[in-house]
Amino acid sequence: MVAELIEFPLKRSKSRLTSDPDLAAKALAGDSSAFEELVRRHQGTVRGMLLRLSGNATDADDLAQATFLKAWTQLSSYAGGQFRSWLCTIAYREFLQDVRGQKSRRNLHEKVEAEDVAFAPTDTMGITHDLERALEKLPENQRIAVTLCVGAGLSHSEAAIATGWPLGTVKSHVNRGKNALKKLLVEYGAA
């Protein structure tokens, strides 16, 4: 008796087989479901990056929403390449606009830092809170570079495009930021 080969269909969706540039072209042509797929693919990266930059989940959600709205309205400016990088550039610019426009939030943050309120993390959330605390202590340029390259997964070149900084500056900020994070996490007993 000869065994027959049974073919099972792949369970991958057609939209996952479509590249980001192809989806962007379809969205530009008016296919809103193509843009919805782009949002689904990249919302975690964008929101995570903004959460680390802003330090506030509500602000991160608002900034992510603004990022995708701006991406939708400026889709014609996407010139190909890494769609994720293009989105992260928009997200970073949205973050910068928010920082410039929210002086009261910054003043509150500085007041909390000045009071140096002690935080006692629970066992299940300890490392996350230690990492967030450590990120907050980094100089802004290092925090931004580490968040873009490590948190959002951008290459150094992509982060340089997003920030407008020279490539060497991005690399330097990432290396210094990672080293400072390691030291801070050791101090917190998390490393």
Side-chain angles (χ1 to χ4, degrees):
M1 182 193 240
V2 177
E4 291 184 36
L5 180 63
I6 301 173
E7 292 185 34
F8 293 99
L10 292 175
K11 292 191 177 190
R12 297 174 76 180
S13 69
K14 283 186 178 182
S15 63
R16 198 62 185 149
L17 297 174
T18 306
S19 70
D20 287 350
D22 290 342
L23 286 171
K26 289 179 182 180
L28 190 57
D31 183 352
S32 62
S33 65
F35 191 76
E36 289 172 12
E37 176 61 22
L38 287 168
V39 170
R40 266 190 298 279
R41 287 182 185 183
H42 300 288
Q43 67 186 351
T45 298
V46 169
R47 187 181 179 281
M49 179 187 102
L50 291 167
L51 179 60
R52 286 176 183 86
L53 288 173
S54 70
N56 181 303
T58 303
D59 290 343
D61 289 342
D62 291 345
L63 290 168
Q65 181 73 19
T67 296
F68 285 109
L69 285 172
K70 185 158 282 190
W72 174 252
T73 61
Q74 295 182 353
L75 197 54
S76 62
S77 70
Y78 171 65
Q82 290 288 330
F83 190 79
R84 180 185 66 173
S85 298
W86 183 74
L87 274 177
C88 286
T89 300
I90 293 171
Y92 178 67
R93 289 181 182 151
E94 288 295 315
F95 166 74
L96 289 178
Q97 286 180 347
D98 184 62
V99 166
R100 290 180 191 122
Q102 298 291 332
K103 285 187 177 182
S104 61
R105 188 179 79 210
R106 176 178 268 176
N107 290 338
L108 178 62
H109 183 70
E110 289 172 356
K111 182 179 176 184
V112 170
E113 280 185 5
E115 293 174 5
D116 197 23
V117 177
F119 178 78
T122 65
D123 289 343
T124 58
M125 300 185 316
I127 189 70
T128 301
H129 289 295
D130 288 342
L131 180 59
E132 294 301 324
R133 271 190 1 202
L135 274 170
E136 288 176 7
K137 291 190 183 261
L138 291 180
E140 184 177 19
N141 291 341
Q142 290 177 14
R143 184 178 69 248
I144 289 167
V146 168
T147 299
L148 291 174
C149 293
V150 178
L154 297 183
S155 69
H156 291 135
S157 298
E158 292 169 332
I161 291 168
T163 60
W165 300 336
L167 179 60
T169 300
V170 170
K171 289 179 179 180
S172 176
H173 286 318
V174 169
N175 287 333
R176 288 181 183 151
K178 285 168 56 176
N179 289 334
L181 280 175
K182 287 176 189 174
K183 288 178 184 175
L184 287 167
L185 290 172
V186 166
E187 286 177 21
Y188 297 154

